[in-house]
Amino acid sequence: MRLNILIVPGDGIGAEVTAAAVEVLQSAARRFGHELLLSEGLIGGAAIQKTGSPLPAETLEKAMKAGATLLGAVGAPEFDSLPPEKRPEKGLLGIRKALQVYANLRPVKMWPALIGSSPLKSEIVAGTDLVIVRELTGGLYYGQPRGLDGDRATNTMSYTRGEIERVARKAFELARGRRKRVTSVDKSNVLENSQLWRKVVSEVSRDYPEVELDHLLVDTCAMQLVLNPRRFDVIVTENMFGDILSDEAAVLAGSIGMLPSASLGDGRGFYEPVHGSAPDIAGRNKANPFGAIGSAAAMLEYSFGLAKEARAIEDAMGRVLASGIATADLNPARAATTSEVAKAVCEALAGAGAAA
Ligand code: IPM
Ligand code: MG
């Protein structure tokens, strides 16, 4: 199969982790007999510096032509004092919106080899296997009116029934192939938005009778995530709550560097690790590439229907982790570099090919 993929490295460690993911994609393509057609695009601070815009039209055109897009990270300290409109992050929000990838799947899985890496007690994190489905193209991130007007600032949280319904369906469909439980997270004791959210999610759930639905308030959910993470299978929530809860949930997995994500809509998929651009370690071959590699695996599965290839990459990741090879966030005493981790995953992938 021919895989037409756009790579947008972005800022900071984005270049290193996407390079690692591309190596693994190349390895997988060799092993399974696929052809990779890669192109590259600018986004974020890197794009502002070269073109003046955080999301050049050319990048969007390339994304529309590609079968899927893999992003590294966006954000750079030199833009920290600028308003949201002029920041690198605007590029990321722009491409998510343009591609209409309204459902952002953020799986949080406890890899057995990393059980000691979480600051939480092993008996709490053991067996964690959940997915946060974050609404990605609405809510506070995009709501109008917005703005900073002297000493008053305004943001708007607004959702329509249609926006809630479509992301809820993705969550129920995902749960159907898993442990069949959806937890919808809101703040319906305070927000009208959340009252609509809860009502629509409950209505959608009637179409999925085999899936059990419960509702949690977002503050309770934040607490339950670190008290009893095994209670969760699929969590569905609005954009900002999902942003916050997914960083919290990353602690369960030992490092935010481990978390992949898949952003899906009704068309093209968009894939990015959950972590940021980590300017403090950028360019030093130190960043954990597993989030990006896992995102590449998710791309093969969701955008190209290559589930077997995705599982092979995940198996290779598991074997590398079990062998103790990991970057400094997980293994400070004997840290491997980003490229060493990528090479090990490629070797594990090729080795499995020879054995099969
Ligand atoms: C994320 C990030 C982004 C977000 C930032 C970089 C705009 O935190 O993907 O979780 O808030 O969506
Ligand atoms: Mg975030």
Side-chain angles (χ1 to χ4, degrees):
M1 177 172 190
R2 180 180 271 197
L3 314 176
N4 184 349
I5 299 170
L6 173 67
I7 309 289
V8 277
D11 303 320
I13 59 170
E16 297 151 76
V17 299
T18 48
V22 165
E23 274 180 50
V24 173
L25 280 172
Q26 277 160 342
S27 242
R30 263 196 305 278
R31 174 171 163 198
F32 291 97
H34 300 299
E35 188 193 345
L36 278 190
L37 238 159
L38 299 176
S39 53
E40 202 167 305
L42 288 167
I43 200 164
I48 299 177
Q49 264 145 7
K50 290 216 174 103
T51 70
S53 156
L55 180 59
E58 197 190 332
T59 301
L60 260 187
E61 280 159 29
K62 286 180 177 169
M64 297 297 184
K65 281 193 198 132
T69 298
L70 178 70
L71 174 123
V74 295
E78 57 265 40
F79 304 100
D80 273 355
S81 56
L82 296 180
E85 272 308 303
K86 301 212 155 100
R87 293 175 63 103
E89 288 82 353
K90 185 80 188 166
L92 177 57
L93 302 185
I95 196 167
R96 287 173 176 171
K97 189 79 169 176
L99 294 174
Q100 274 295 300
V101 283
Y102 53 80
N104 178 220
L105 279 47
R106 298 186 158 186
V108 181
K109 178 175 138 176
M110 180 76 249
W111 294 86
L114 298 184
I115 185 117
S117 302
S118 173
L120 295 169
K121 291 195 185 81
S122 301
E123 60 265 31
I124 289 188
V125 296
T128 295
D129 180 9
L130 60 92
V131 184
I132 298 178
V133 178
R134 167 188 177 192
E135 198 292 323
L136 200 63
T137 53
L140 276 170
Y141 276 57
Y142 297 93
Q144 294 289 346
R146 66 182 292 162
L148 177 59
D149 178 14
D151 289 336
R152 176 181 294 275
T154 305
N155 290 97
T156 300
M157 189 194 271
S158 166
Y159 273 108
T160 62
R161 166 179 288 274
E163 286 176 299
I164 302 167
E165 204 179 306
R166 63 186 184 175
V167 70
R169 287 198 189 281
K170 289 271 192 226
F172 282 105
E173 276 154 26
L174 184 68
R176 224 162 28 183
R178 295 178 44 99
R179 300 197 309 281
K180 302 187 175 48
R181 175 158 195 179
V182 169
T183 301
S184 174
V185 174
D186 62 41
K187 189 72 188 173
S188 62
N189 52 348
V190 177
L191 303 175
E192 287 80 0
N193 247 276
S194 287
Q195 289 178 339
L196 181 66
W197 183 277
R198 196 173 274 223
K199 178 167 178 259
V200 173
V201 173
S202 301
E203 286 169 14
V204 170
S205 80
R206 290 186 205 132
D207 292 341
Y208 303 86
E210 69 278 41
V211 179
E212 188 192 335
L213 169 68
D214 70 334
H215 301 275
L216 275 188
L217 296 175
V218 63
D219 45 354
T220 310
C221 179
M223 187 171 68
Q224 288 299 322
L225 269 174
V226 286
L227 278 180
N228 185 15
R230 280 187 299 271
R231 90 177 278 301
F232 295 106
D233 179 17
V234 174
I235 294 174
V236 64
T237 192
E238 69 88 35
N239 201 345
M240 177 93 143
F241 296 161
D243 177 46
I244 299 169
L245 294 175
S246 57
D247 268 32
E248 186 196 7
V251 176
L252 301 164
S255 165
I256 193 162
M258 291 305 300
L259 260 58
S261 91
S263 304
L264 309 174
D266 301 320
R268 282 174 189 74
F270 182 73
Y271 301 83
E272 51 171 320
V274 171
H275 63 69
S277 57
D280 51 323
I281 57 161
R284 290 160 61 193
N285 205 12
K286 279 185 158 185
N288 184 343
F290 278 115
I293 294 171
S295 303
M299 168 191 286
L300 294 182
E301 177 163 7
Y302 294 118
S303 281
F304 299 108
L306 302 175
K308 185 169 56 137
E309 287 78 345
R311 290 299 86 72
I313 293 177
E314 286 165 4
D315 286 352
M317 289 167 64
R319 268 179 284 133
V320 170
L321 285 167
S323 75
I325 299 174
T327 42
D329 49 327
L330 293 166
N331 193 355
R334 296 188 46 211
T337 62
T338 310
S339 29
E340 281 164 356
V341 172
K343 186 161 169 263
V345 175
C346 291
E347 281 168 7
L349 198 53

